[in-house]
Amino acid sequence: MLWQIKNPTMLLILTMIFSKLIIKIEYKNHIINNIIINNMNNTFYHESWKPLFDKFKSMPSNLETLYSDESTPVYPEKENVYRVFEMDVKEIKVVLLGQDPYHGPGQAHGLSFSVPSCVKIPPSLRNIYKELQNEFPERNYNFVSGNLEEWFYREKIFLLNASLTVEKGKPSCHMKLWETFTNTVIEFISEQNPKCVFLLLGNFERQKNPIF
């Protein structure tokens, strides 16, 4: 059966569904009206980020190069590299800055510190959970999953890594490749959303202080 779809909105809805870039059903209507598609690598990002991405027009071709060698696995999957930019920069309440994606198979999915629900909670995220439990014992937190999509979509916590990609088993190997881009992201957020709170964890993240 051949479907002829003439409605651009319906075409966009189907594209998002089949590319698995939308997880929360209740979030779809918000994204459909505000998303820009980068046709060079099927990147989805909110229109509020367009001025930033316009400054880095070579990024799609660079991304293709990173993923071109099939003998060297790169994480997360290519379609999830810019996933965090689905959020409107004006809606960000907190930026939680990590170092780089998890470098094991099936762990990274485009959001810092987060892993899919079926994956064991990593030590770095377990430490965050422990601090929350110690700081707010009255809330009786019981964290059973390392999936932070709820934090991202509902709580508007921008889960950014300083490096957006990593090779299997080689932490920090792409840090220099992304440094200029993610530093510019931080500056852009500071300019566009001055009320946003930045949460920096660990010695590496504290090196970002001069940017603010």
Side-chain angles (χ1 to χ4, degrees):
M1 181 185 299
L2 177 65
W3 290 0
Q4 186 176 7
I5 303 172
K6 296 182 179 181
N7 186 313
T9 300
M10 181 59 66
L11 179 60
L12 180 55
I13 292 173
L14 292 174
T15 301
M16 287 179 172
I17 291 174
F18 288 115
S19 62
K20 299 180 181 178
L21 289 179
I22 296 213
I23 306 299
K24 297 289 183 181
I25 294 175
E26 66 269 22
Y27 196 62
K28 286 180 184 175
N29 291 333
H30 174 77
I31 283 190
I32 289 167
N33 295 322
N34 299 283
I35 279 290
I36 293 174
I37 303 177
N38 187 324
N39 292 325
M40 292 186 70
N41 64 351
N42 292 324
T43 296
F44 288 71
Y45 57 86
H46 190 273
E47 64 181 0
S48 60
W49 296 99
K50 188 176 185 302
L52 179 127
F53 277 90
D54 284 347
K55 294 180 181 179
F56 293 90
K57 291 184 177 180
S58 65
M59 297 301 288
S61 58
N62 292 343
L63 201 62
E64 291 296 329
T65 301
L66 285 179
Y67 284 83
S68 62
D69 185 359
E70 295 182 0
S71 65
T72 305
V74 175
Y75 305 125
E77 294 183 4
K78 186 168 61 176
E79 61 266 27
N80 285 330
V81 171
Y82 297 112
R83 180 182 178 187
V84 71
F85 298 100
E86 291 176 8
M87 186 185 297
D88 185 341
V89 67
K90 299 288 188 181
E91 293 186 355
I92 298 174
K93 295 180 181 178
V94 177
V95 174
L96 183 56
L97 183 64
Q99 186 163 329
D100 59 352
Y102 297 120
H103 52 87
Q107 291 183 303
H109 62 161
L111 305 174
S112 67
F113 298 102
S114 181
V115 293
S117 300
C118 59
V119 175
K120 182 180 178 181
I121 300 174
S124 57
L125 180 56
R126 194 173 295 279
N127 288 337
I128 293 175
Y129 284 167
K130 184 177 180 180
E131 290 299 324
L132 287 171
Q133 290 168 329
N134 291 340
E135 187 70 23
F136 304 103
E138 73 281 1
R139 299 184 183 180
N140 297 314
Y141 285 130
N142 181 29
F143 301 108
V144 297
S145 169
N147 191 324
L148 303 183
E149 289 171 345
E150 191 77 6
W151 291 15
F152 178 69
Y153 288 113
R154 189 179 297 278
E155 304 300 333
K156 304 303 179 184
I157 298 176
F158 193 73
L159 300 168
L160 176 69
N161 276 313
S163 173
L164 299 188
T165 59
V166 68
E167 293 178 14
K168 180 181 178 180
K170 297 181 180 179
S172 304
C173 64
H174 288 173
M175 197 65 66
K176 287 295 182 181
L177 297 176
W178 290 102
E179 184 175 28
T180 300
F181 177 75
T182 51
N183 283 351
T184 306
V185 169
I186 293 171
E187 293 171 350
F188 186 78
I189 295 172
S190 298
E191 294 168 358
Q192 300 295 318
N193 189 346
K195 294 183 179 180
C196 172
V197 175
F198 289 83
L199 183 57
L200 312 181
L201 305 178
N203 292 327
F204 171 79
E205 282 71 23
R206 292 186 188 119
Q207 295 173 13
K208 299 290 184 181
N209 270 333
I211 301 175
F212 302 107

